[in-house]
Amino acid sequence: LTASWHHATLGFTTQFSVRQFPNLLSNPFPARSCPAKQTLRMDQTGGGNNIYVEHESRDNEKDKQTATSLDSLLSDFSEDLSRLTKIRPATPNADISCSPAIISAGSSYTRLWTQMTWWRHANPPHIRYFRHIRSWPLSTSARKILPAVTMSALYTLVTAFALRHLRIGQYYLGSLTKGASSAMAALGAPLALLLTLRANASLGRLNEARLMIGRLILHGRNLASFLRAYVQPVNPQAAIMAARYLSVLGWSIKALVRYESDDSQREVYTIMLGKKEADWLLSQPINNPVAIVFRLRQLVADVGMNSNNPNFFVPHSAMEACINDLDAVTGGLERLLSSPIPPTYSRHLSRIMVMYLAILPLALVSSGTPSLGAMVAGALVSYVLIGVDEIGMEIENPFPLLPLQQACGALQNIVGDHMLLPDIPNYDEA
């Protein structure tokens, strides 16, 4: 009797506990699929109260709905990426904000190089020199400095002719040319130093901007892989929305540093984000890249706070690190955009350059150079000096020179490739 009473009491207590706490006996570490339901039933047949576990059939309806929803999200995401690729192809010729005046006919820094480009660039000297001389008339830098070089050459010719053939020039020839050579020697060393420092500073800005664009693609790829591996199985909607924002981050940064209009970006945002999200993004008081980074952080934080997995903080921390790196890249590009080399340096260099070129005809005449020879010499010297100064001026603002069209397209394609990866087979089934 005592044993029967204990069996009956245990059975009643167990049934009551299972009804009140249905998750009491569930798996504390659930798998990705929904586990089979387990119920306890007390069998009182045969004069005894026997308790055993009854495994009900697995309910796959919810899993089917989730799979269908994920397939629909991925299909829409793939279609929108295709639409974006059509209006923003990853080719240099499709860049709407890159001036054709800075794109060279041959190898150019404005596009990503391939093995063939490097092969042509590293030809033997005699082939390389011949190719560069042959393409000289097509040089964008030469065309840009041609007016200044022409003015300097004509000034040298007129000054040399006046000093030799006009009476007033002949009268003041000795006094004007006496100290010209000494003045040029005194100005030559400071001018060369200033030109070198200016070119090195500008080249450093160009290298820094290119490194940041590389970090943008690197950290974007890492974040896309985290979204695919950790967020998509848990919250597909948040993962796809974050991937959509990540795919337009490059285009948003390009619009910021190239001063593209909001109208040109509205179509990109509307295709990838939808009208509601696009209107929200364009209405923010902060610039668009910072708002995109904030939205990425908000989406990842929302998934982390609503996750039932206590170990989700590990990928969450890794994703936050990637987002911080993207934020640092955005801030660094803004710093380069808003902080040039001090203009005083450029002004001082320009004044010394004009002084040197103004004294050049006097020194040439004092050395006995004919007028036409002085004009040719003045043109060559001015071409070298003005060309070096102009190259430093061009690369001081690195963003028109960077291959941003191809870099943004590469980031967009990387995000799409990661999010559209098929399910990886279990290693136990390999």
Side-chain angles (χ1 to χ4, degrees):
L1 290 175
T2 303
S4 299
W5 183 82
H6 280 297
H7 280 294
T9 305
L10 179 61
F12 175 77
T13 304
T14 304
Q15 287 182 340
F16 176 77
S17 301
V18 172
R19 292 192 186 98
Q20 295 297 322
F21 307 100
N23 296 327
L24 183 61
L25 298 178
S26 61
N27 187 3
F29 301 100
R32 180 177 177 182
S33 60
C34 182
K37 294 182 179 180
Q38 297 180 352
T39 59
L40 294 180
R41 189 159 61 95
M42 184 174 64
D43 186 10
Q44 298 180 354
T45 61
N49 298 322
N50 300 323
I51 303 174
Y52 66 95
V53 180
E54 181 182 11
H55 294 271
E56 294 183 353
S57 61
R58 180 171 306 198
D59 186 8
N60 293 326
E61 187 64 28
K62 184 176 180 180
D63 288 344
K64 292 180 180 179
Q65 293 178 357
T66 304
T68 303
S69 176
L70 178 59
D71 292 340
S72 177
L73 290 172
L74 292 176
S75 177
D76 294 341
F77 180 60
S78 178
E79 292 178 1
D80 292 340
L81 283 177
S82 300
R83 293 172 57 196
L84 181 59
T85 304
K86 291 181 180 180
I87 66 170
R88 293 293 177 92
T91 56
N93 297 331
D95 196 342
I96 62 175
S97 58
C98 183
S99 174
I102 64 174
I103 301 178
S104 300
S107 57
S108 175
Y109 197 80
T110 57
R111 62 193 63 180
L112 297 179
W113 283 31
T114 61
Q115 184 178 2
M116 182 60 66
T117 311
W118 280 109
W119 179 80
R120 285 177 51 85
H121 181 70
N123 279 336
H126 62 284
I127 299 177
R128 186 169 65 250
Y129 297 160
F130 175 76
R131 187 178 72 247
H132 292 169
I133 295 298
R134 185 183 60 183
S135 62
W136 199 347
L138 303 177
S139 173
T140 56
S141 299
R143 291 179 180 180
K144 196 170 184 179
I145 67 175
L146 181 60
V149 173
T150 303
M151 292 174 61
S152 176
L154 291 177
Y155 165 76
T156 303
L157 176 63
V158 171
T159 303
F161 182 83
L163 291 174
R164 283 198 172 93
H165 302 285
L166 296 183
R167 181 176 301 178
I168 187 172
Q170 295 175 354
Y171 180 79
Y172 290 105
L173 177 62
S175 59
L176 288 175
T177 61
K178 186 175 182 180
S181 299
S182 301
M184 286 195 63
L187 290 175
L191 179 60
L193 178 62
L194 289 175
L195 286 174
T196 302
L197 294 177
R198 165 64 180 276
N200 289 340
S202 300
L203 188 60
R205 291 171 56 86
L206 178 63
N207 291 334
E208 185 178 2
R210 186 63 184 90
L211 287 174
M212 288 185 181
I213 296 300
R215 293 192 187 103
L216 172 67
I217 298 176
L218 173 63
H219 300 312
R221 180 174 60 203
N222 291 338
L223 182 58
S225 63
F226 280 123
L227 292 173
R228 173 61 180 86
Y230 293 101
V231 180
Q232 183 171 305
V234 178
N235 192 331
Q237 291 82 3
I240 297 302
M241 181 56 68
R244 289 177 177 274
Y245 270 97
L246 185 58
S247 63
V248 300
L249 178 60
W251 300 114
S252 180
I253 291 177
K254 177 176 176 287
L256 175 67
V257 299
R258 291 275 188 87
Y259 299 101
E260 296 178 2
S261 63
D262 291 340
D263 294 335
S264 65
Q265 290 301 107
R266 183 178 294 276
E267 185 178 8
V268 174
Y269 297 152
T270 303
I271 289 176
M272 292 304 302
L273 306 177
K275 187 176 185 305
K276 183 178 180 181
E277 293 280 346
D279 292 340
W280 173 85
L281 181 59
L282 292 172
S283 64
Q284 298 307 304
I286 55 179
N287 57 53
N288 293 338
V290 176
I292 290 175
V293 172
F294 167 76
R295 187 73 170 105
L296 288 171
R297 178 172 283 114
Q298 185 269 331
L299 289 169
V300 172
D302 183 67
V303 174
M305 289 186 294
N306 295 327
S307 176
N308 295 325
N309 187 356
N311 296 324
F312 190 77
F313 75 93
V314 177
H316 187 192
S317 300
M319 285 186 283
E320 278 292 335
C322 291
I323 295 175
N324 288 336
D325 292 332
L326 292 175
D327 199 7
V329 168
T330 302
L333 293 175
E334 286 186 275
R335 173 178 54 81
L336 287 176
L337 181 65
S338 58
S339 301
I341 297 174
T344 302
Y345 192 96
S346 300
R347 289 193 291 265
H348 189 63
L349 177 60
S350 300
R351 291 161 185 163
I352 294 179
M353 184 91 66
V354 172
M355 292 169 56
Y356 187 86
L357 294 178
I359 299 174
L360 178 61
L362 305 179
L364 293 174
V365 171
S366 66
S367 64
T369 306
S371 299
L372 292 178
M375 182 188 70
V376 174
L380 294 177
V381 172
S382 60
Y383 177 82
V384 173
L385 297 180
I386 297 175
V388 173
D389 179 56
E390 182 59 30
I391 290 174
M393 180 65 69
E394 284 185 359
I395 64 178
E396 181 183 358
N397 181 16
F399 300 111
L401 300 176
L402 293 177
L404 294 181
Q405 185 79 10
Q406 292 174 282
C408 296
L411 177 59
Q412 166 194 322
N413 295 333
I414 287 172
V415 174
D417 293 340
H418 278 76
M419 299 306 296
L420 298 175
L421 281 175
D423 290 334
I424 302 175
N426 193 340
Y427 65 90
D428 292 336
E429 302 174 357

